[in-house]
Each structure stands twice: as C-alpha cells, then as structure tokens.
Short mmCIF file of all heavy atoms in Angstrom, two decimals:
data_model
loop_
_atom_site.label_atom_id
_atom_site.label_comp_id
_atom_site.label_asym_id
_atom_site.label_seq_id
_atom_site.Cartn_x
_atom_site.Cartn_y
_atom_site.Cartn_z
N MET A 1 3.37 1.63 7.18
CA MET A 1 2.22 2.13 7.89
C MET A 1 2.02 1.28 9.14
O MET A 1 2.10 0.07 9.08
CB MET A 1 0.98 2.07 7.00
CG MET A 1 -0.25 2.55 7.73
SD MET A 1 -1.78 2.41 6.79
CE MET A 1 -1.45 3.49 5.45
N VAL A 2 1.73 1.92 10.25
CA VAL A 2 1.50 1.21 11.51
C VAL A 2 0.13 1.61 12.04
O VAL A 2 -0.21 2.79 12.07
CB VAL A 2 2.58 1.58 12.55
CG1 VAL A 2 2.27 0.97 13.88
CG2 VAL A 2 3.95 1.16 12.06
N TRP A 3 -0.63 0.63 12.44
CA TRP A 3 -1.93 0.86 13.05
C TRP A 3 -1.83 0.55 14.53
O TRP A 3 -1.22 -0.43 14.92
CB TRP A 3 -2.99 -0.06 12.43
CG TRP A 3 -3.29 0.27 11.02
CD1 TRP A 3 -2.59 -0.12 9.93
CD2 TRP A 3 -4.35 1.08 10.54
NE1 TRP A 3 -3.15 0.38 8.79
CE2 TRP A 3 -4.24 1.13 9.14
CE3 TRP A 3 -5.37 1.77 11.15
CZ2 TRP A 3 -5.12 1.84 8.36
CZ3 TRP A 3 -6.25 2.47 10.35
CH2 TRP A 3 -6.12 2.50 8.98
N CYS A 4 -2.44 1.36 15.35
CA CYS A 4 -2.40 1.14 16.79
C CYS A 4 -3.83 1.14 17.30
O CYS A 4 -4.61 2.05 17.01
CB CYS A 4 -1.60 2.24 17.48
SG CYS A 4 -1.56 2.08 19.26
N MET A 5 -4.18 0.11 18.05
CA MET A 5 -5.52 0.03 18.62
C MET A 5 -5.39 -0.14 20.13
O MET A 5 -4.53 -0.86 20.61
CB MET A 5 -6.29 -1.16 18.05
CG MET A 5 -6.51 -1.05 16.57
SD MET A 5 -7.57 -2.35 15.91
CE MET A 5 -6.73 -3.81 16.41
N THR A 6 -6.25 0.52 20.86
CA THR A 6 -6.28 0.38 22.31
C THR A 6 -7.69 0.06 22.74
O THR A 6 -8.65 0.34 22.04
CB THR A 6 -5.80 1.65 23.02
OG1 THR A 6 -6.67 2.73 22.66
CG2 THR A 6 -4.38 2.01 22.64
N ALA A 7 -7.81 -0.51 23.90
CA ALA A 7 -9.13 -0.86 24.44
C ALA A 7 -9.22 -0.37 25.87
O ALA A 7 -8.25 -0.41 26.61
CB ALA A 7 -9.34 -2.37 24.40
N CYS A 8 -10.39 0.10 26.23
CA CYS A 8 -10.62 0.51 27.62
C CYS A 8 -10.93 -0.75 28.41
O CYS A 8 -11.69 -1.59 27.98
CB CYS A 8 -11.79 1.47 27.71
SG CYS A 8 -11.47 3.02 26.85
N ASP A 9 -10.32 -0.85 29.57
CA ASP A 9 -10.48 -2.05 30.37
C ASP A 9 -11.33 -1.76 31.59
O ASP A 9 -10.93 -1.01 32.47
CB ASP A 9 -9.11 -2.58 30.77
CG ASP A 9 -9.20 -3.87 31.56
OD1 ASP A 9 -10.22 -4.57 31.44
OD2 ASP A 9 -8.26 -4.17 32.29
N ASN A 10 -12.52 -2.35 31.65
CA ASN A 10 -13.39 -2.21 32.81
C ASN A 10 -13.15 -3.30 33.83
O ASN A 10 -13.86 -3.40 34.81
CB ASN A 10 -14.86 -2.23 32.38
CG ASN A 10 -15.22 -1.03 31.56
OD1 ASN A 10 -14.62 0.03 31.71
ND2 ASN A 10 -16.17 -1.18 30.67
N GLU A 11 -12.19 -4.16 33.58
CA GLU A 11 -11.89 -5.29 34.46
C GLU A 11 -10.50 -5.11 35.05
O GLU A 11 -9.52 -5.64 34.54
CB GLU A 11 -11.97 -6.61 33.68
CG GLU A 11 -13.30 -6.89 33.03
CD GLU A 11 -14.39 -7.17 34.04
OE1 GLU A 11 -14.08 -7.54 35.18
OE2 GLU A 11 -15.56 -7.00 33.69
N PRO A 12 -10.36 -4.33 36.13
CA PRO A 12 -9.02 -4.06 36.67
C PRO A 12 -8.32 -5.30 37.21
O PRO A 12 -7.12 -5.28 37.40
CB PRO A 12 -9.29 -3.05 37.79
CG PRO A 12 -10.72 -3.21 38.13
CD PRO A 12 -11.41 -3.70 36.88
N GLN A 13 -9.06 -6.39 37.45
CA GLN A 13 -8.42 -7.60 37.96
C GLN A 13 -7.62 -8.33 36.89
O GLN A 13 -6.85 -9.23 37.20
CB GLN A 13 -9.44 -8.55 38.59
CG GLN A 13 -10.30 -9.32 37.60
CD GLN A 13 -11.57 -8.62 37.20
OE1 GLN A 13 -11.72 -7.43 37.41
NE2 GLN A 13 -12.50 -9.35 36.61
N LEU A 14 -7.76 -7.95 35.63
CA LEU A 14 -7.01 -8.59 34.57
C LEU A 14 -5.55 -8.17 34.64
O LEU A 14 -5.24 -6.99 34.78
CB LEU A 14 -7.58 -8.24 33.20
CG LEU A 14 -8.98 -8.74 32.90
CD1 LEU A 14 -9.45 -8.23 31.55
CD2 LEU A 14 -9.05 -10.24 32.97
N LYS A 15 -4.67 -9.12 34.53
CA LYS A 15 -3.24 -8.84 34.53
C LYS A 15 -2.75 -8.81 33.08
O LYS A 15 -2.57 -9.84 32.46
CB LYS A 15 -2.48 -9.91 35.32
CG LYS A 15 -1.01 -9.64 35.39
CD LYS A 15 -0.27 -10.71 36.14
CE LYS A 15 1.22 -10.42 36.07
NZ LYS A 15 2.01 -11.54 36.52
N TRP A 16 -2.56 -7.61 32.56
CA TRP A 16 -2.11 -7.45 31.18
C TRP A 16 -0.65 -7.81 31.08
O TRP A 16 0.16 -7.43 31.93
CB TRP A 16 -2.38 -6.03 30.72
CG TRP A 16 -3.84 -5.76 30.58
CD1 TRP A 16 -4.69 -5.42 31.58
CD2 TRP A 16 -4.62 -5.87 29.41
NE1 TRP A 16 -5.96 -5.30 31.10
CE2 TRP A 16 -5.95 -5.56 29.77
CE3 TRP A 16 -4.33 -6.18 28.09
CZ2 TRP A 16 -6.99 -5.56 28.84
CZ3 TRP A 16 -5.37 -6.18 27.17
CH2 TRP A 16 -6.67 -5.87 27.54
N GLN A 17 -0.28 -8.54 30.04
CA GLN A 17 1.09 -8.99 29.86
C GLN A 17 1.51 -8.77 28.41
O GLN A 17 0.69 -8.84 27.50
CB GLN A 17 1.22 -10.46 30.23
CG GLN A 17 0.17 -11.36 29.60
CD GLN A 17 0.07 -12.69 30.28
OE1 GLN A 17 1.08 -13.29 30.58
NE2 GLN A 17 -1.15 -13.16 30.51
N PRO A 18 2.79 -8.46 28.20
CA PRO A 18 3.24 -8.17 26.83
C PRO A 18 3.38 -9.44 25.99
O PRO A 18 3.66 -10.52 26.50
CB PRO A 18 4.61 -7.53 27.06
CG PRO A 18 5.08 -8.09 28.36
CD PRO A 18 3.84 -8.31 29.19
N ALA A 19 3.17 -9.26 24.72
CA ALA A 19 3.41 -10.30 23.72
C ALA A 19 4.08 -9.60 22.54
O ALA A 19 3.80 -8.44 22.27
CB ALA A 19 2.11 -10.97 23.30
N PHE A 20 4.96 -10.30 21.87
CA PHE A 20 5.72 -9.69 20.78
C PHE A 20 5.40 -10.34 19.44
O PHE A 20 5.34 -11.56 19.34
CB PHE A 20 7.22 -9.80 21.07
CG PHE A 20 7.63 -9.09 22.32
CD1 PHE A 20 7.75 -9.77 23.51
CD2 PHE A 20 7.86 -7.72 22.30
CE1 PHE A 20 8.10 -9.11 24.67
CE2 PHE A 20 8.21 -7.05 23.46
CZ PHE A 20 8.34 -7.74 24.65
N LEU A 21 5.18 -9.51 18.45
CA LEU A 21 5.00 -9.96 17.08
C LEU A 21 6.31 -9.61 16.37
O LEU A 21 6.46 -8.56 15.76
CB LEU A 21 3.82 -9.25 16.42
CG LEU A 21 2.47 -9.42 17.15
CD1 LEU A 21 1.44 -8.48 16.57
CD2 LEU A 21 2.02 -10.85 17.06
N ALA A 22 7.29 -10.48 16.54
CA ALA A 22 8.66 -10.19 16.11
C ALA A 22 8.76 -9.86 14.63
O ALA A 22 9.44 -8.90 14.25
CB ALA A 22 9.57 -11.36 16.46
N ASP A 23 8.07 -10.61 13.76
CA ASP A 23 8.20 -10.37 12.32
C ASP A 23 7.59 -9.04 11.90
O ASP A 23 7.93 -8.49 10.88
CB ASP A 23 7.63 -11.52 11.51
CG ASP A 23 6.16 -11.78 11.77
OD1 ASP A 23 5.68 -11.38 12.85
OD2 ASP A 23 5.51 -12.40 10.93
N ALA A 24 6.69 -8.49 12.72
CA ALA A 24 6.08 -7.19 12.42
C ALA A 24 6.70 -6.07 13.26
O ALA A 24 6.39 -4.90 13.05
CB ALA A 24 4.57 -7.25 12.68
N GLY A 25 7.55 -6.42 14.22
CA GLY A 25 8.16 -5.41 15.07
C GLY A 25 7.18 -4.74 16.01
O GLY A 25 7.33 -3.56 16.33
N LEU A 26 6.16 -5.46 16.45
CA LEU A 26 5.12 -4.89 17.31
C LEU A 26 5.11 -5.55 18.69
O LEU A 26 5.37 -6.73 18.82
CB LEU A 26 3.73 -5.09 16.69
CG LEU A 26 3.45 -4.40 15.37
CD1 LEU A 26 2.09 -4.82 14.84
CD2 LEU A 26 3.51 -2.90 15.53
N LYS A 27 4.77 -4.74 19.68
CA LYS A 27 4.55 -5.24 21.03
C LYS A 27 3.08 -4.98 21.36
O LYS A 27 2.59 -3.87 21.17
CB LYS A 27 5.45 -4.51 22.02
CG LYS A 27 5.22 -4.93 23.45
CD LYS A 27 6.12 -4.12 24.37
CE LYS A 27 5.74 -4.33 25.81
NZ LYS A 27 6.54 -3.47 26.70
N VAL A 28 2.37 -5.99 21.81
CA VAL A 28 0.96 -5.86 22.17
C VAL A 28 0.78 -6.34 23.60
O VAL A 28 1.65 -6.98 24.17
CB VAL A 28 0.06 -6.67 21.20
CG1 VAL A 28 0.13 -6.11 19.80
CG2 VAL A 28 0.43 -8.14 21.20
N GLN A 29 -0.36 -6.02 24.19
CA GLN A 29 -0.69 -6.43 25.55
C GLN A 29 -1.95 -7.28 25.51
O GLN A 29 -2.92 -6.94 24.85
CB GLN A 29 -0.96 -5.19 26.42
CG GLN A 29 0.23 -4.27 26.59
CD GLN A 29 1.17 -4.75 27.66
OE1 GLN A 29 0.77 -5.41 28.61
NE2 GLN A 29 2.44 -4.43 27.51
N PHE A 30 -1.91 -8.40 26.22
CA PHE A 30 -3.07 -9.28 26.34
C PHE A 30 -3.34 -9.51 27.83
O PHE A 30 -2.41 -9.60 28.62
CB PHE A 30 -2.82 -10.63 25.66
CG PHE A 30 -2.94 -10.59 24.18
CD1 PHE A 30 -1.82 -10.58 23.37
CD2 PHE A 30 -4.18 -10.58 23.56
CE1 PHE A 30 -1.91 -10.54 22.00
CE2 PHE A 30 -4.30 -10.55 22.18
CZ PHE A 30 -3.15 -10.53 21.40
N PRO A 31 -4.62 -9.68 28.20
CA PRO A 31 -4.95 -9.94 29.60
C PRO A 31 -4.93 -11.43 29.95
O PRO A 31 -5.42 -11.83 30.99
CB PRO A 31 -6.37 -9.39 29.71
CG PRO A 31 -6.94 -9.66 28.36
CD PRO A 31 -5.80 -9.44 27.40
N CYS A 32 -4.38 -12.24 29.06
CA CYS A 32 -4.32 -13.69 29.26
C CYS A 32 -3.19 -14.24 28.40
O CYS A 32 -2.59 -13.52 27.61
CB CYS A 32 -5.66 -14.32 28.89
SG CYS A 32 -6.44 -13.65 27.41
N ASP A 33 -2.92 -15.52 28.56
CA ASP A 33 -1.84 -16.15 27.80
C ASP A 33 -2.29 -16.33 26.35
O ASP A 33 -3.15 -17.15 26.05
CB ASP A 33 -1.49 -17.50 28.44
CG ASP A 33 -0.28 -18.15 27.80
OD1 ASP A 33 0.58 -17.41 27.28
OD2 ASP A 33 -0.18 -19.38 27.84
N ALA A 34 -1.69 -15.57 25.46
CA ALA A 34 -2.13 -15.56 24.05
C ALA A 34 -1.65 -16.81 23.32
O ALA A 34 -0.53 -17.27 23.49
CB ALA A 34 -1.60 -14.32 23.36
N GLN A 35 -2.53 -17.34 22.48
CA GLN A 35 -2.22 -18.46 21.60
C GLN A 35 -1.89 -17.89 20.22
O GLN A 35 -2.43 -16.86 19.82
CB GLN A 35 -3.41 -19.42 21.51
CG GLN A 35 -3.87 -19.95 22.84
CD GLN A 35 -2.80 -20.78 23.51
OE1 GLN A 35 -2.23 -21.67 22.90
NE2 GLN A 35 -2.51 -20.47 24.77
N VAL A 36 -1.03 -18.59 19.48
CA VAL A 36 -0.58 -18.11 18.18
C VAL A 36 -0.95 -19.13 17.11
O VAL A 36 -0.87 -20.33 17.33
CB VAL A 36 0.95 -17.90 18.19
CG1 VAL A 36 1.45 -17.44 16.84
CG2 VAL A 36 1.34 -16.90 19.28
N ALA A 37 -1.36 -18.62 15.94
CA ALA A 37 -1.67 -19.49 14.80
C ALA A 37 -1.32 -18.75 13.52
O ALA A 37 -1.18 -17.53 13.50
CB ALA A 37 -3.15 -19.87 14.79
N GLN A 38 -1.16 -19.51 12.44
CA GLN A 38 -0.89 -18.93 11.13
C GLN A 38 -1.68 -19.71 10.10
O GLN A 38 -1.79 -20.94 10.17
CB GLN A 38 0.60 -18.99 10.80
CG GLN A 38 0.94 -18.31 9.48
CD GLN A 38 2.41 -18.40 9.15
OE1 GLN A 38 2.88 -19.46 8.76
NE2 GLN A 38 3.13 -17.31 9.31
N THR A 39 -2.25 -18.99 9.12
CA THR A 39 -2.99 -19.64 8.05
C THR A 39 -2.83 -18.84 6.76
O THR A 39 -2.71 -17.62 6.80
CB THR A 39 -4.49 -19.77 8.40
OG1 THR A 39 -5.13 -20.59 7.44
CG2 THR A 39 -5.18 -18.43 8.48
N PRO A 40 -2.79 -19.51 5.61
CA PRO A 40 -2.70 -18.78 4.35
C PRO A 40 -4.09 -18.22 3.97
O PRO A 40 -5.10 -18.89 4.13
CB PRO A 40 -2.26 -19.84 3.35
CG PRO A 40 -2.65 -21.13 3.95
CD PRO A 40 -2.66 -20.95 5.44
N VAL A 41 -4.10 -16.96 3.52
CA VAL A 41 -5.35 -16.31 3.12
C VAL A 41 -5.15 -15.66 1.76
O VAL A 41 -4.14 -15.00 1.53
CB VAL A 41 -5.78 -15.24 4.15
CG1 VAL A 41 -7.02 -14.49 3.69
CG2 VAL A 41 -6.02 -15.87 5.51
N ASP A 42 -6.11 -15.84 0.87
CA ASP A 42 -6.09 -15.18 -0.43
C ASP A 42 -7.05 -14.00 -0.36
O ASP A 42 -8.26 -14.17 -0.23
CB ASP A 42 -6.52 -16.15 -1.53
CG ASP A 42 -6.37 -15.56 -2.92
OD1 ASP A 42 -6.21 -14.32 -3.05
OD2 ASP A 42 -6.41 -16.34 -3.89
N PHE A 43 -6.50 -12.77 -0.40
CA PHE A 43 -7.32 -11.57 -0.30
C PHE A 43 -7.92 -11.16 -1.64
O PHE A 43 -8.61 -10.15 -1.74
CB PHE A 43 -6.49 -10.41 0.26
CG PHE A 43 -6.15 -10.58 1.71
CD1 PHE A 43 -4.87 -10.96 2.09
CD2 PHE A 43 -7.10 -10.39 2.69
CE1 PHE A 43 -4.55 -11.13 3.43
CE2 PHE A 43 -6.79 -10.55 4.03
CZ PHE A 43 -5.52 -10.93 4.39
N GLY A 44 -7.66 -11.93 -2.69
CA GLY A 44 -8.26 -11.66 -4.00
C GLY A 44 -7.68 -10.46 -4.71
O GLY A 44 -8.36 -9.80 -5.47
N MET A 45 -6.41 -10.15 -4.45
CA MET A 45 -5.78 -9.00 -5.10
C MET A 45 -4.66 -9.45 -6.04
O MET A 45 -3.65 -8.77 -6.17
CB MET A 45 -5.23 -8.04 -4.04
CG MET A 45 -6.33 -7.46 -3.16
SD MET A 45 -5.73 -6.23 -1.98
CE MET A 45 -4.78 -7.24 -0.86
N ASP A 46 -4.82 -10.60 -6.66
CA ASP A 46 -3.84 -11.16 -7.59
C ASP A 46 -2.46 -11.35 -6.96
O ASP A 46 -1.45 -11.26 -7.64
CB ASP A 46 -3.73 -10.29 -8.85
CG ASP A 46 -5.02 -10.27 -9.64
OD1 ASP A 46 -5.73 -11.30 -9.63
OD2 ASP A 46 -5.33 -9.23 -10.24
N MET A 47 -2.42 -11.58 -5.65
CA MET A 47 -1.15 -11.84 -4.96
C MET A 47 -1.04 -13.30 -4.56
O MET A 47 0.00 -13.73 -4.09
CB MET A 47 -1.05 -11.01 -3.67
CG MET A 47 -1.07 -9.52 -3.88
SD MET A 47 -0.91 -8.56 -2.35
CE MET A 47 -1.77 -9.53 -1.15
N GLY A 48 -2.11 -14.03 -4.69
CA GLY A 48 -2.14 -15.39 -4.20
C GLY A 48 -2.32 -15.38 -2.69
O GLY A 48 -2.71 -14.38 -2.10
N SER A 49 -2.01 -16.47 -2.06
CA SER A 49 -2.17 -16.57 -0.61
C SER A 49 -0.99 -15.92 0.10
O SER A 49 0.15 -16.01 -0.34
CB SER A 49 -2.25 -18.03 -0.17
OG SER A 49 -3.44 -18.60 -0.67
N VAL A 50 -1.30 -15.24 1.20
CA VAL A 50 -0.27 -14.68 2.07
C VAL A 50 -0.45 -15.29 3.45
O VAL A 50 -1.58 -15.58 3.87
CB VAL A 50 -0.33 -13.14 2.15
CG1 VAL A 50 -0.04 -12.50 0.81
CG2 VAL A 50 -1.67 -12.67 2.67
N PRO A 51 0.64 -15.52 4.19
CA PRO A 51 0.50 -16.08 5.53
C PRO A 51 0.01 -15.02 6.52
O PRO A 51 0.65 -13.98 6.68
CB PRO A 51 1.92 -16.55 5.89
CG PRO A 51 2.82 -15.78 4.99
CD PRO A 51 2.03 -15.41 3.78
N VAL A 52 -1.13 -15.27 7.14
CA VAL A 52 -1.70 -14.36 8.14
C VAL A 52 -1.41 -14.95 9.51
O VAL A 52 -1.74 -16.10 9.78
CB VAL A 52 -3.22 -14.17 7.93
CG1 VAL A 52 -3.82 -13.33 9.04
CG2 VAL A 52 -3.49 -13.53 6.57
N ASN A 53 -0.77 -14.14 10.35
CA ASN A 53 -0.45 -14.55 11.72
C ASN A 53 -1.52 -14.00 12.66
O ASN A 53 -1.92 -12.84 12.54
CB ASN A 53 0.92 -14.00 12.13
CG ASN A 53 2.00 -14.54 11.25
OD1 ASN A 53 2.24 -15.74 11.21
ND2 ASN A 53 2.65 -13.67 10.49
N MET A 54 -1.98 -14.83 13.58
CA MET A 54 -3.00 -14.44 14.53
C MET A 54 -2.53 -14.74 15.94
O MET A 54 -1.83 -15.73 16.16
CB MET A 54 -4.30 -15.20 14.25
CG MET A 54 -4.89 -14.88 12.90
SD MET A 54 -5.92 -16.20 12.25
CE MET A 54 -4.68 -17.35 11.71
N MET A 55 -2.91 -13.88 16.88
CA MET A 55 -2.57 -14.08 18.27
C MET A 55 -3.79 -13.63 19.07
O MET A 55 -4.37 -12.59 18.78
CB MET A 55 -1.36 -13.23 18.64
CG MET A 55 -0.90 -13.38 20.07
SD MET A 55 0.55 -12.33 20.43
CE MET A 55 1.82 -13.27 19.61
N GLY A 56 -4.21 -14.44 20.03
CA GLY A 56 -5.38 -14.06 20.80
C GLY A 56 -5.65 -14.97 21.98
O GLY A 56 -5.01 -16.01 22.13
N CYS A 57 -6.60 -14.53 22.80
CA CYS A 57 -6.99 -15.30 23.97
C CYS A 57 -8.38 -14.85 24.43
O CYS A 57 -8.90 -13.83 23.99
CB CYS A 57 -5.97 -15.15 25.09
SG CYS A 57 -5.80 -13.46 25.70
N ASP A 58 -8.97 -15.62 25.33
CA ASP A 58 -10.27 -15.30 25.92
C ASP A 58 -10.09 -15.02 27.40
O ASP A 58 -9.40 -15.75 28.10
CB ASP A 58 -11.25 -16.48 25.76
CG ASP A 58 -11.58 -16.74 24.30
OD1 ASP A 58 -11.81 -15.76 23.57
OD2 ASP A 58 -11.61 -17.91 23.90
N ALA A 59 -10.73 -13.94 27.87
CA ALA A 59 -10.68 -13.59 29.30
C ALA A 59 -11.94 -12.82 29.67
O ALA A 59 -12.35 -11.92 28.94
CB ALA A 59 -9.45 -12.74 29.60
N VAL A 60 -12.55 -13.17 30.76
CA VAL A 60 -13.74 -12.50 31.31
C VAL A 60 -14.79 -12.28 30.22
O VAL A 60 -15.17 -11.15 29.91
CB VAL A 60 -13.37 -11.17 32.01
CG1 VAL A 60 -14.56 -10.59 32.74
CG2 VAL A 60 -12.20 -11.35 32.96
N ASP A 61 -15.23 -13.34 29.59
CA ASP A 61 -16.29 -13.30 28.58
C ASP A 61 -15.98 -12.43 27.37
O ASP A 61 -16.88 -11.92 26.72
CB ASP A 61 -17.62 -12.85 29.21
CG ASP A 61 -18.11 -13.79 30.29
OD1 ASP A 61 -17.86 -15.01 30.15
OD2 ASP A 61 -18.71 -13.33 31.27
N SER A 62 -14.71 -12.20 27.09
CA SER A 62 -14.30 -11.41 25.93
C SER A 62 -13.16 -12.11 25.20
O SER A 62 -12.39 -12.84 25.81
CB SER A 62 -13.83 -10.02 26.36
OG SER A 62 -14.88 -9.30 26.96
N THR A 63 -13.07 -11.85 23.92
CA THR A 63 -11.96 -12.36 23.12
C THR A 63 -11.08 -11.18 22.73
O THR A 63 -11.57 -10.16 22.26
CB THR A 63 -12.46 -13.06 21.84
OG1 THR A 63 -13.27 -14.17 22.23
CG2 THR A 63 -11.32 -13.55 20.99
N TYR A 64 -9.78 -11.33 22.96
CA TYR A 64 -8.80 -10.32 22.61
C TYR A 64 -7.93 -10.91 21.52
O TYR A 64 -7.41 -12.01 21.68
CB TYR A 64 -7.94 -9.95 23.83
CG TYR A 64 -8.75 -9.38 24.96
CD1 TYR A 64 -9.39 -10.21 25.88
CD2 TYR A 64 -8.89 -8.01 25.11
CE1 TYR A 64 -10.15 -9.69 26.90
CE2 TYR A 64 -9.64 -7.48 26.14
CZ TYR A 64 -10.27 -8.32 27.04
OH TYR A 64 -11.01 -7.80 28.06
N ALA A 65 -7.77 -10.20 20.40
CA ALA A 65 -7.02 -10.77 19.29
C ALA A 65 -6.40 -9.69 18.42
O ALA A 65 -6.87 -8.55 18.37
CB ALA A 65 -7.94 -11.64 18.43
N VAL A 66 -5.35 -10.09 17.74
CA VAL A 66 -4.71 -9.24 16.73
C VAL A 66 -4.24 -10.16 15.61
O VAL A 66 -3.86 -11.30 15.85
CB VAL A 66 -3.55 -8.42 17.33
CG1 VAL A 66 -2.43 -9.31 17.82
CG2 VAL A 66 -3.02 -7.41 16.34
N SER A 67 -4.33 -9.68 14.38
CA SER A 67 -3.80 -10.45 13.26
C SER A 67 -3.00 -9.50 12.38
O SER A 67 -3.23 -8.29 12.37
CB SER A 67 -4.92 -11.14 12.47
OG SER A 67 -5.75 -10.17 11.87
N HIS A 68 -2.05 -10.06 11.68
CA HIS A 68 -1.24 -9.25 10.77
C HIS A 68 -0.64 -10.13 9.69
O HIS A 68 -0.59 -11.34 9.82
CB HIS A 68 -0.14 -8.51 11.54
CG HIS A 68 1.00 -9.38 11.94
ND1 HIS A 68 0.93 -10.25 13.00
CD2 HIS A 68 2.24 -9.53 11.41
CE1 HIS A 68 2.08 -10.90 13.11
NE2 HIS A 68 2.89 -10.49 12.17
N TRP A 69 -0.22 -9.47 8.62
CA TRP A 69 0.45 -10.16 7.54
C TRP A 69 1.46 -9.19 6.93
O TRP A 69 1.29 -7.99 6.98
CB TRP A 69 -0.54 -10.67 6.49
CG TRP A 69 -1.44 -9.63 5.94
CD1 TRP A 69 -1.25 -8.89 4.80
CD2 TRP A 69 -2.68 -9.21 6.48
NE1 TRP A 69 -2.30 -8.02 4.61
CE2 TRP A 69 -3.19 -8.20 5.65
CE3 TRP A 69 -3.43 -9.57 7.60
CZ2 TRP A 69 -4.40 -7.56 5.89
CZ3 TRP A 69 -4.63 -8.93 7.83
CH2 TRP A 69 -5.10 -7.93 6.98
N LEU A 70 2.51 -9.74 6.39
CA LEU A 70 3.55 -8.95 5.73
C LEU A 70 3.46 -9.17 4.23
O LEU A 70 3.29 -10.29 3.77
CB LEU A 70 4.93 -9.37 6.24
CG LEU A 70 5.17 -9.22 7.75
CD1 LEU A 70 6.54 -9.76 8.13
CD2 LEU A 70 5.02 -7.79 8.18
N LEU A 71 3.56 -8.09 3.50
CA LEU A 71 3.49 -8.17 2.05
C LEU A 71 4.85 -7.83 1.45
O LEU A 71 5.54 -6.93 1.92
CB LEU A 71 2.45 -7.18 1.51
CG LEU A 71 1.03 -7.36 2.02
CD1 LEU A 71 0.13 -6.25 1.49
CD2 LEU A 71 0.48 -8.73 1.65
N ASP A 72 5.22 -8.55 0.40
CA ASP A 72 6.48 -8.26 -0.29
C ASP A 72 6.41 -6.93 -1.02
O ASP A 72 7.37 -6.18 -1.09
CB ASP A 72 6.81 -9.37 -1.29
CG ASP A 72 7.12 -10.68 -0.59
OD1 ASP A 72 7.62 -10.64 0.54
OD2 ASP A 72 6.85 -11.73 -1.19
N ASP A 73 5.24 -6.61 -1.57
CA ASP A 73 5.05 -5.37 -2.34
C ASP A 73 3.88 -4.62 -1.74
O ASP A 73 2.74 -5.08 -1.79
CB ASP A 73 4.80 -5.73 -3.81
CG ASP A 73 4.65 -4.50 -4.69
OD1 ASP A 73 4.75 -3.37 -4.17
OD2 ASP A 73 4.43 -4.69 -5.89
N ALA A 74 4.11 -3.45 -1.20
CA ALA A 74 3.05 -2.67 -0.54
C ALA A 74 2.00 -2.14 -1.51
O ALA A 74 0.97 -1.66 -1.09
CB ALA A 74 3.68 -1.50 0.22
N GLN A 75 2.24 -2.20 -2.81
CA GLN A 75 1.26 -1.73 -3.77
C GLN A 75 0.12 -2.71 -3.87
O GLN A 75 -0.93 -2.49 -4.28
CB GLN A 75 1.90 -1.52 -5.14
CG GLN A 75 2.92 -0.42 -5.11
CD GLN A 75 3.55 -0.20 -6.49
OE1 GLN A 75 3.08 -0.71 -7.50
NE2 GLN A 75 4.62 0.55 -6.52
#
C-alpha cells in the first residue's frame, strides 16, 4: 500500500528539492534541506519496537515532515 500526500504552496519563493527514502522506494519534495532521524517505536500491536524513519525541515514558519516504517509482516 502506498500513501501519497501533497501540499499547496502559497510561498512561491521556496525552492522545492527532491529527497529519497530509499528503503521505502519513495521520492518526496521538501522546500529546505531535510534532516533525517530514526527511533524505535512500539505501536502496541504485539510486534515490539519497529524502527521509524523521519525526514523533515522548517521553512517560512512551517514544518514539513514525513515518517515511515517497514514491517516484516503486513498483518
């Protein structure tokens, strides 16, 4: 399953640039240099902790971010 989100940009001066989430096979656009982090999260579904990857940045009084995680078993 793939989710796609888009945002309307009222700030034409922002220079959108691509960023790649290689392990998820996704390409996203950010209006600033995105920082990357990873943290283990337990979603409480008897799977234990899964590594959640986050990418984001701040530009023109807004925060732009995306997070994702890969599961061994989609059930």
Side-chain angles (χ1 to χ4, degrees):
M1 179 184 297
V2 174
W3 292 83
C4 178
M5 297 186 304
T6 61
C8 296
D9 182 23
N10 293 331
E11 302 291 339
Q13 76 271 16
L14 295 176
K15 182 182 175 192
W16 291 82
Q17 49 197 316
F20 298 97
L21 303 169
D23 59 338
L26 296 175
K27 177 182 170 184
V28 295
Q29 297 278 331
F30 283 102
C32 41
D33 186 28
Q35 303 297 310
V36 179
Q38 184 181 75
T39 189
V41 175
D42 186 345
F43 290 104
M45 297 184 291
D46 296 327
M47 298 181 325
S49 293
V50 295
V52 175
N53 298 298
M54 297 154 283
M55 181 180 285
C57 62
D58 295 317
V60 189
D61 298 327
S62 297
T63 298
Y64 299 85
V66 64
S67 64
H68 75 283
W69 54 94
L70 301 176
L71 302 176
D72 293 330
D73 182 1
Q75 295 181 12

